[in-house]
Amino acid sequence: GVDVWGQSQAVIDLVNQARAEGLLVTADQYPFEASSTSLSAALVPKWVFADMEDYRQRFDDPTLLPRIKKEMAENLRRRGGASAILLIAAADSTFDGQTLETIANLRQMDPISMAIEILKVGGSAIASFNMKDADIKNFMQQAWVMTSSDGGSPHPRKYASFSKKIKHYVFQEKVLSLEAMIHRSSGMTAAIFGIPKRGQLKVGYFADIILFQPEAIQDHATFVEPAQLSTGIHHAWVNGQQVIEAGVYNGILAGKAIYKQ
């Protein structure tokens, strides 16, 4: 949110102090300026959801509506305003791929009233552009930050976190070396989570191997089309079985559940 933009160094200093005192503090990060949530979770005050089978009934209460709108406006401000809210997978598909600001302008409504109308007809998932690139880069360079995808929602991070980090932050922005990027996406992760015999290319370890051409790595997933596959991965082995051959998945399911030991 806008209220904490530029404060990444204060957070980093606090973590480094804790680590210096002997605490094991780590973090994970996906390389995007937008988070993903629902329009209701982002804007509607939490008390509105309490003790109601359908929270939207409270929008019809004239004694509550002014308070709801006021608090929704504050939540919207903290997230960067209506231009920072992109609707994805809306119940009304005509809203997909448009910002709340654009939709409100087209309907000649203020953004909060427009948001309430969208919620009344089923709501929407959103991409919330509420992070600052300078903070992303600052966190990314810390030795205790690993790469994550945080997949499971309509967001390109699910399919493109690692490829975007290589393409944009290693080769274009030169925030990290390729070696650091790979370590923070493999060996470091295995070490932090206590997963034995993974994350490194060593004799006796499980053969989880990706063969790729670094300069050819390209992410294609977008906020409108988040499931587009990345390119540039030529071959991959999981548990010693090849699953990608010449850039094509061969259908083999070689993965298995891994339990912390």
Side-chain angles (χ1 to χ4, degrees):
V2 298
D3 292 342
V4 295
W5 283 357
Q7 295 185 30
S8 56
Q9 192 57 49
V11 176
I12 290 166
D13 292 344
L14 186 63
V15 172
N16 284 337
Q17 179 182 344
R19 288 171 61 87
E21 293 171 357
L23 294 176
L24 176 58
V25 183
T26 61
D28 63 272
Q29 176 195 47
Y30 53 81
F32 292 90
E33 293 181 28
S35 60
S36 182
T37 184
S38 66
L39 186 64
S40 59
L43 299 186
V44 179
K46 296 298 179 281
W47 62 265
V48 174
F49 297 97
D51 306 317
M52 291 288 286
E53 187 171 330
D54 185 352
Y55 74 93
R56 293 172 295 184
Q57 294 176 27
R58 288 201 161 113
F59 293 142
D60 298 323
D61 187 334
T63 63
L64 292 178
L65 189 57
R67 178 187 172 189
I68 293 173
K69 283 189 169 184
K70 181 179 179 180
E71 294 186 23
M72 286 180 67
E74 172 59 11
N75 287 337
L76 182 61
R77 182 200 66 78
R78 289 165 48 205
R79 286 184 174 268
S83 63
I85 303 295
L86 180 71
L87 274 68
I88 307 170
D92 183 340
S93 61
T94 61
F95 297 142
D96 283 354
Q98 298 185 76
T99 66
L100 179 58
E101 180 181 64
T102 298
I103 298 167
N105 288 340
L106 288 173
R107 299 292 182 92
Q108 297 184 327
M109 299 175 66
D110 68 88
I112 296 303
S113 296
M114 187 69 247
I116 290 174
E117 290 304 309
I118 295 169
L119 293 169
K120 283 182 175 180
V121 297
S124 177
I126 64 168
S128 177
F129 289 83
N130 54 10
M131 288 173 271
K132 201 72 170 175
D133 188 55
D135 291 322
I136 293 173
K137 291 176 181 176
N138 201 9
F139 283 125
M140 189 178 291
Q141 294 177 74
Q142 306 311 308
W144 37 265
V145 175
M146 57 187 161
T147 314
S148 70
S149 65
D150 198 19
S153 61
H155 189 296
R157 65 193 178 196
K158 184 175 181 179
Y159 283 79
S161 275
F162 299 87
S163 52
K164 178 180 173 65
K165 193 169 179 179
I166 292 174
K167 180 72 174 183
H168 185 73
Y169 288 101
V170 171
F171 288 109
Q172 294 177 344
E173 296 288 331
K174 303 186 187 305
V175 176
L176 288 177
S177 67
L178 182 60
E179 293 83 358
M181 158 59 195
I182 292 173
H183 172 63
R184 295 175 194 190
S185 307
S186 54
M188 179 180 171
T189 308
I192 288 173
F193 285 101
I195 304 172
K197 295 185 177 182
R198 294 190 188 271
Q200 298 184 55
L201 295 176
K202 294 178 67 173
V203 174
Y205 274 46
F206 293 94
D208 297 330
I209 303 169
I210 295 174
L211 183 64
F212 65 96
Q213 183 178 353
E215 295 81 0
I217 292 290
Q218 179 64 60
D219 56 299
H220 299 288
T222 68
F223 288 95
V224 177
E225 295 183 288
Q228 299 300 304
L229 298 178
S230 299
T231 51
I233 302 294
H234 299 301
H235 303 284
W237 291 260
V238 176
N239 291 320
Q241 296 186 66
Q242 189 164 11
V243 295
I244 294 178
E245 303 177 55
V248 179
Y249 172 54
N250 61 17
I252 294 175
L253 301 173
K256 67 176 185 179
I258 297 176
Y259 299 95
K260 182 176 173 62
Q261 297 184 0

